[in-house]
Amino acid sequence: MVDGKIFICLPDFSGGGAEKVMMTLIKAFAVEHEITCVVLNENGPFIEKLPSVCHLKNLNCFSAKQALIPMIRLFRVEKPEIIFSTLGYFNFVLMLALWLSGHRPRRVVLREANSPASTIDSLAAKWIGKVGYRFLYNQANHVVCNAQYVSSQLVDFGVKSERIVVIPNPVDVREIHRLANKKMIFPKFNNPSLPLFVSVGRLSTQKGMDRLIDWFSLMEIGANLIILGDGPERLDLEKKISNHGLNDRVKIMNFQKNPFPYMKRADAVLLGSLWEGLPNVALEALALGKTVIASRECKSLQQMKDTKDVPDLTIPATDKAFVEELDNIARIRSERGTPRLAKLCSSLPSGFDVQKVSSKYGSILFGD
């Protein structure tokens, strides 16, 4: 047990991959440590995953910028011994607040969940991101990222390589299999016997759902597509579906706390992302033994495929090749006549095991 206070910080409890990873780690750490979870606000479905033994400090802010002063006060009063935080823009504000507070914890660990280049591109004042990585990140004891290509970008933006640790995302295969067997209501298709593809993610520019619909529309073999998620692009995506004449074969459902029954039924899980860190959806699909077809921009998945034996993961090199792979999967499914159910054994490499990953995080957070 750590003598001092342990703060695990994240913007909120929204249903993104970074938040899911942090909640998984909090659950693992709370078994042996007294954890305080610090959030800007309590928005999001993952608040249900917060263990009851954990303390919760809600800063009641709608943005990281707004939270600067409350964070300074919090650090001065509470004086945490260990701080663990995630997401680039949030990490910038947290590190600035920590410096201004005058408090110096025994250990600060930052987690970089996404591509640093994409974080900088998302900022109106890009110099803030460049300064944040070069100066604020180097004040942390460790910076954890989930893929080697993210590590390389961090170094390019000035983070010292000796501070960087690559640890993959934790995946609880047993829990995923348990949840995948739950009964869910599926959308109604005109022909439900067609091959089924599923894509899970926020309906935003990053996830590339628009081009996924475009690729799907170019298929020669008929198939159905379920998109699970909420976000600002929903109306535009629905319009695109209608323009392609796909209303009977493409359905958008709201964010699902449990997407795994849908993924289990899929002939393949699709990712059309324009950029990614290490996408949890792909890892979870592999944990279900599903075929994953990911866009070439998912560089961490390409690195995983290059270094590990992952036969169920396909990353087409071009848009045309992506469409051809969709047709190939649909053709195999049509010839077989029955959907491919989840395997008894996961095809996910063992390095993503939740206990192994939690242990690695625990070593850098709580070790001597």
Side-chain angles (χ1 to χ4, degrees):
M1 290 285 291
V2 175
D3 292 334
K5 295 178 180 178
I6 302 169
F7 278 12
I8 297 185
C9 310
L10 61 159
D12 55 28
F13 296 104
S14 61
E19 293 83 3
K20 178 178 285 189
V21 167
M22 294 298 274
M23 299 312 296
T24 300
L25 294 173
I26 288 173
K27 179 181 177 181
F29 298 152
V31 175
E32 297 183 359
H33 301 279
E34 186 173 348
I35 303 294
T36 297
C37 183
V38 180
V39 293
L40 297 179
N41 56 70
E42 297 180 12
N43 294 340
F46 284 167
I47 191 170
E48 297 177 2
K49 295 179 178 290
L50 187 68
S52 59
V53 295
C54 291
H55 307 288
L56 176 61
K57 288 195 177 295
N58 180 2
L59 299 178
N60 291 304
C61 298
F62 292 102
S63 68
K65 180 180 177 181
Q66 188 184 32
L68 179 62
I69 300 302
M71 278 189 186
I72 293 173
R73 293 181 184 138
L74 180 68
F75 294 146
R76 283 177 177 170
V77 172
E78 298 289 341
K79 294 180 169 48
E81 186 78 359
I82 293 173
I83 296 177
F84 178 32
S85 176
T86 193
L87 287 172
Y89 69 93
F90 183 70
N91 291 340
F92 297 155
V93 174
L94 181 141
M95 292 303 293
L96 180 59
L98 187 60
W99 180 71
L100 292 173
S101 74
H103 173 59
R104 299 296 177 260
R106 178 165 67 87
R107 188 159 299 168
V108 178
V109 177
L110 304 179
R111 180 175 181 273
E112 187 66 19
N114 217 325
S115 157
S118 67
T119 297
I120 290 176
D121 287 342
S122 69
L123 298 172
K126 293 179 174 47
W127 65 268
I128 294 176
K130 294 177 181 179
V131 170
Y133 284 120
R134 182 171 295 276
F135 295 103
L136 296 176
Y137 265 47
N138 280 315
Q139 304 308 308
N141 297 89
H142 300 287
V143 178
V144 179
C145 56
N146 51 25
Q148 193 59 50
Y149 104 95
V150 177
S151 172
S152 298
Q153 284 194 5
L154 286 170
V155 172
D156 290 342
F157 287 118
V159 181
K160 296 177 181 178
S161 59
E162 59 266 26
R163 297 188 185 278
I164 300 173
V165 182
V166 178
I167 303 178
N169 295 350
V171 180
D172 191 338
V173 175
R174 181 177 297 180
E175 178 67 2
I176 289 172
H177 280 210
R178 184 186 72 82
L179 292 172
N181 288 321
K182 299 282 186 180
K183 292 183 178 180
M184 290 290 175
I185 298 175
F186 281 73
K188 294 182 179 180
F189 293 103
N190 272 11
N191 186 353
S193 66
L194 291 175
L196 176 64
F197 296 105
V198 170
S199 187
V200 183
R202 180 169 166 76
L203 307 184
S204 62
T205 300
Q206 177 189 358
K207 298 303 180 181
M209 296 296 185
D210 53 345
R211 66 175 183 173
L212 198 60
I213 294 168
D214 288 337
W215 293 336
F216 185 82
S217 73
L218 297 174
M219 290 181 63
E220 295 179 357
I221 299 175
N224 294 324
L225 170 63
I226 297 175
I227 296 174
L228 303 176
D230 296 320
E233 293 194 351
R234 177 159 188 155
L235 291 178
D236 290 339
L237 294 174
E238 289 175 341
K239 183 177 180 180
K240 180 180 283 288
I241 291 168
S242 181
N243 289 342
H244 280 305
L246 294 172
N247 289 312
D248 294 334
R249 295 196 290 117
V250 179
K251 306 294 183 181
I252 298 179
M253 300 180 66
N254 293 334
F255 169 84
Q256 301 293 312
K257 294 179 183 178
N258 179 14
F260 304 121
Y262 302 94
M263 295 165 68
K264 179 183 177 182
R265 284 274 299 274
D267 292 285
V269 175
L270 312 180
L271 286 84
S273 304
L274 297 173
W275 68 86
E276 284 286 0
L278 182 60
N280 283 309
V281 170
L283 305 180
E284 291 162 347
L286 292 172
L288 285 168
K290 308 309 296 184
T291 295
V292 175
I293 309 175
S295 59
R296 58 190 177 275
E297 287 83 1
C298 296
K299 298 184 185 300
S300 57
L301 293 180
Q302 183 64 63
Q303 288 182 340
M304 185 173 81
K305 187 171 179 62
D306 290 342
T307 57
K308 302 179 186 296
D309 181 22
V310 193
D312 287 336
L313 174 60
T314 299
I315 305 176
T318 64
D319 293 1
K320 181 181 178 182
F322 198 107
V323 177
E324 290 173 349
E325 190 60 32
L326 293 179
D327 273 323
N328 182 49
I329 296 294
R331 185 177 296 108
I332 293 172
R333 161 68 165 78
S334 297
E335 292 173 353
R336 187 173 62 241
T338 56
R340 178 187 175 196
L341 298 178
K343 297 176 182 176
L344 292 177
C345 295
S346 164
S347 62
L348 184 69
S350 61
F352 296 92
D353 175 75
V354 63
Q355 292 183 336
K356 291 181 180 179
V357 173
S358 298
S359 177
K360 290 180 179 179
Y361 269 100
S363 294
I364 64 171
L365 281 168
F366 312 123
D368 296 330

